[in-house]
Amino acid sequence: MVILLALKNNKTYLENLQLEATNSIKTISSEEDIENWRIDYIGRKGKISNFFQSFKDLKPEEKNELGSLANKLKNTLEKLYKEKQKALKDNKSNIQTEFFDFTLPGTPISTGSIHPTNQMMQEICTAFNKLGFNIFEGPEIESESYAFDKLNIPTNHPARDIWDTIYVNDVENIKSLVLRPHTSPMQIRIMENNEPPIRVVIPGKCYRYEATDNTHEWHFHQIEGLVIDKNINFLNMKATLFEFARMIFGDDTKARFRCDFFPFVEPGAEMSINFKQNEWLELMGAGMVHPKVLMNVGLDPEIYSGFAFGLGIERAAMIKYGIDNIRDFYANDYQFLKQFK
Ligand code: PHE
């Protein structure tokens, strides 16, 4: 009877011990405490060891039963101990590697920026806008009629050779559409659809079948300008374009006009800007709108006159920023582009 009671008490003792050990381990948060817990429960002189000592006088069957229960508990507690120890270690190493200094400034997010060609285009449009010009856009694929004929460049006339044209074959394989080699076709489209006074600029992309070099690309951007009214003269053109050059390149800009030939203007000129010390870079072609062009769109050259110009946008950026290779604009080199952020 006494022995039976002892067995029952011992079982209860083990159950309580398990409860106590599993509860207390949950509250542990330091390596020191977990070591004490280990010594306390499963150490050489711990509670489980003591328990084994305490029932050595019991009968063998009872010893066996309690022994296996106590062993089971010992294994359970050892497992708990290892898990907890690992969790504490992991936590510690996490804290070390993932240490985060909240006072450091954030990593800047790399944002895109407007391409230097487009920046220049916007700047030029804004300048002309301030001078009273409206801004239009036009098609990049043009008929030969707009690209050449109506601009006083008849078929087979040698003047057509000035433009190294990229032809777009249409269904019948007839060469009638071209990638526009200049923005001048827009002079015609604007005059056909608007009454004078006209004061417009037309930015856009142009294409030429051309070998590239430092100042020529097979595709590039131009801005066409057109002014049509009564009593417009060459001096008006010079004044407008000189003023424009000062607005873009600064007050002390040196610009020069020299005679040039374009079939749709008379007289024709080219305007160059003092690029570097003694270097001049042609910025645009310009001139008084040819009477034949005015007649082509039904305007009377006895009443109306005007001037037109076409300037290279990349050329303007090259002059402004001292870039000596036009191909940089199309190379997509981040080192180059990031300078224009
Ligand atoms: N379209 C000419 C070119 O591309 C430039 C130009 C425009 C010249 C208007 C005169 C007048 O070379």
Side-chain angles (χ1 to χ4, degrees):
M1 192 56 192
V2 173
I3 290 167
L4 255 179
L5 232 179
L7 183 63
K8 202 177 161 210
N9 282 347
N10 281 324
K11 277 187 180 171
T12 316
Y13 175 77
L14 283 180
E15 280 163 14
N16 286 340
L17 193 62
Q18 176 160 13
L19 207 66
E20 181 194 308
T22 46
N23 278 337
S24 71
I25 201 167
K26 282 184 199 154
T27 64
I28 286 175
S29 59
S30 76
E31 284 183 274
E32 199 188 332
D33 287 349
I34 191 69
E35 181 56 11
N36 288 334
W37 183 94
R38 186 191 67 77
I39 295 168
D40 205 13
Y41 291 99
I42 47 179
R44 249 182 334 116
K45 291 179 182 165
K47 287 177 177 159
I48 297 272
S49 264
N50 289 343
F51 181 75
F52 276 113
Q53 300 289 326
S54 71
F55 68 78
K56 63 177 185 294
D57 298 331
L58 295 181
K59 280 198 216 157
E61 315 93 75
E62 290 163 350
K63 263 195 206 170
N64 277 349
E65 195 183 341
L66 278 179
S68 84
L69 282 176
N71 263 331
K72 235 185 182 170
L73 178 59
K74 195 180 172 196
N75 288 340
T76 309
L77 296 187
E78 268 168 1
K79 210 174 139 210
L80 275 181
Y81 164 74
K82 277 184 189 148
E83 279 170 9
K84 186 73 183 188
Q85 198 190 31
K86 185 172 181 292
L88 287 174
K89 249 196 200 138
D90 286 353
N91 208 7
K92 200 175 159 200
S93 60
N94 276 349
I95 288 170
Q96 273 167 354
T97 53
E98 287 180 13
F99 173 73
F100 188 77
D101 185 349
F102 289 93
T103 64
L104 287 174
T107 317
I109 297 167
S110 164
T111 52
S113 58
I114 296 174
H115 192 278
T117 307
N118 285 335
Q119 286 186 32
M120 197 69 239
M121 189 193 285
Q122 283 173 7
E123 208 180 311
I124 294 172
C125 284
T126 306
F128 278 116
N129 200 224
K130 282 183 188 160
L131 293 171
F133 286 71
N134 285 324
I135 299 158
F136 280 77
E137 279 184 321
E140 285 179 24
I141 297 179
E142 269 293 4
S143 67
E144 273 192 288
S145 148
Y146 280 94
F148 299 120
D149 300 271
K150 293 181 177 182
L151 285 166
N152 193 31
I153 319 169
T155 320
N156 300 328
H157 191 283
R160 232 178 242 222
D161 294 347
I162 303 174
W163 289 273
D164 306 280
T165 314
I166 298 175
Y167 286 88
V168 180
N169 291 350
D170 70 12
V171 270
E172 267 99 37
N173 211 19
I174 297 166
K175 289 177 170 180
S176 60
L177 292 178
V178 298
L179 291 186
R180 66 174 173 199
H182 53 174
T183 42
S184 298
M186 279 307 289
Q187 291 182 31
I188 306 294
R189 291 184 181 277
I190 297 284
M191 286 189 283
E192 280 180 346
N193 294 295
N194 297 275
E195 294 293 320
I198 292 170
R199 227 181 289 142
V200 295
V201 284
I202 307 105
K205 207 167 178 186
C206 304
Y207 305 82
R208 289 185 195 176
Y209 183 70
E210 187 159 46
T212 64
D213 63 25
N214 281 0
T215 48
H216 295 86
E217 253 292 5
W218 70 271
H219 54 146
F220 56 96
H221 294 76
Q222 276 191 340
I223 290 196
E224 192 75 14
L226 178 70
V227 173
I228 303 285
D229 204 348
K230 292 171 183 159
N231 303 319
I232 299 289
N233 58 38
F234 198 86
L235 195 60
N236 297 142
M237 179 180 90
K238 266 184 96 171
T240 307
L241 296 178
F242 272 134
E243 181 55 26
F244 158 75
R246 274 194 292 272
M247 288 167 88
I248 296 293
F249 305 112
D251 279 346
D252 45 5
T253 303
K254 279 196 232 156
R256 77 178 179 200
F257 275 93
R258 295 197 301 184
C259 285
D260 205 345
F261 170 74
F262 301 96
F264 35 91
V265 289
E266 180 58 34
E270 59 110 328
M271 183 188 185
S272 295
I273 305 287
N274 196 195
F275 176 40
K276 288 173 183 168
Q277 263 206 331
N278 273 328
E279 275 182 62
W280 296 79
L281 193 63
E282 183 183 341
L283 178 62
M284 67 174 91
M288 302 306 292
V289 177
H290 199 290
K292 276 195 186 157
V293 173
L294 292 174
M295 285 190 291
N296 284 346
V297 295
L299 289 176
D300 184 348
E302 296 297 326
I303 303 174
Y304 292 107
S305 58
F307 63 87
F309 52 90
L311 76 97
I313 295 175
E314 287 88 350
R315 289 275 181 95
M318 288 170 81
I319 294 167
K320 181 155 181 163
Y321 299 111
I323 300 163
D324 41 29
N325 193 341
I326 195 170
R327 286 170 287 207
D328 285 339
F329 290 93
Y330 294 95
N332 276 336
D333 179 346
Y334 181 63
Q335 297 305 323
F336 172 75
L337 295 175
K338 76 174 185 190
Q339 300 174 83
F340 300 93
K341 274 198 164 191

